[in-house]
Amino acid sequence: PGALLEAVRFGLDVSEAAKTPRAVFSNLAVEGPQSIIQRQGFSASVAKYGGRSPAASGGDELTTELFEELAITFGDGPDAVRGVPYDIFCCQFCPERSPDAVLRIRGRRRALA
């Protein structure tokens, strides 16, 4: 999914350069206790921003693999939701435009190490 990730990054840079990472995320995310991009919104955004890339030819399989790599499960049982939170979205898709999110993720990784 690395090539697909790069294609989506490029698509976001070209299409959404005037928007802040928070604004882009807000357009894709589902609001709730945890503001996240769920599978359906993630798939739509990958299709939108990486769709013309040769990497996108992997279709749903690559998109699902990338989602599973980035998503986190919030809660447990029947109320659990899975999605990509803001900081992970920023670190993966627009790190140069959101250094605050990169620093938060780096701090969390250190805490887990």
Side-chain angles (χ1 to χ4, degrees), residues 73-82:
T73 301
F74 295 94
D76 47 300
D79 295 329
V81 292
R82 189 156 172 77

Side-chain angles (χ1 to χ4, degrees), residues 7-56:
V8 174
R9 276 185 192 160
F10 179 77
L12 276 168
D13 277 349
V14 170
S15 300
E16 306 291 358
K19 292 183 180 177
T20 65
R22 177 67 70 187
V24 174
F25 179 83
S26 293
N27 287 337
L28 303 171
V30 173
E31 295 299 322
Q34 294 292 331
S35 186
I36 57 173
I37 302 172
Q38 292 179 331
R39 184 180 305 275
Q40 185 176 2
F42 185 83
S43 296
S45 65
V46 167
K48 178 179 179 179
Y49 297 115
R52 289 192 168 86
S53 161

Side-chain angles (χ1 to χ4, degrees), residues 3 5 8 13-16 19 21-22 25 30 33 44 51 63-67 70 79 91-92 102 108-109 113:
L5 178 63
V8 174
D13 277 349
V14 170
S15 300
E16 306 291 358
K19 292 183 180 177
R22 177 67 70 187
F25 179 83
V30 173
T63 300
T64 297
E65 189 177 331
L66 184 57
F67 178 81
L70 302 178
D79 295 329
C91 285
Q92 296 300 317
V102 173
R108 290 178 188 139
R109 284 184 180 147

Side-chain angles (χ1 to χ4, degrees), residues 59-97:
D60 290 340
E61 185 176 317
L62 274 180
T63 300
T64 297
E65 189 177 331
L66 184 57
F67 178 81
E68 289 303 322
E69 186 176 302
L70 302 178
I72 294 175
T73 301
F74 295 94
D76 47 300
D79 295 329
V81 292
R82 189 156 172 77
V84 180
Y86 176 75
D87 284 348
I88 292 176
F89 169 81
C90 289
C91 285
Q92 296 300 317
F93 295 108
C94 48
E96 64 288 338
R97 293 175 50 202

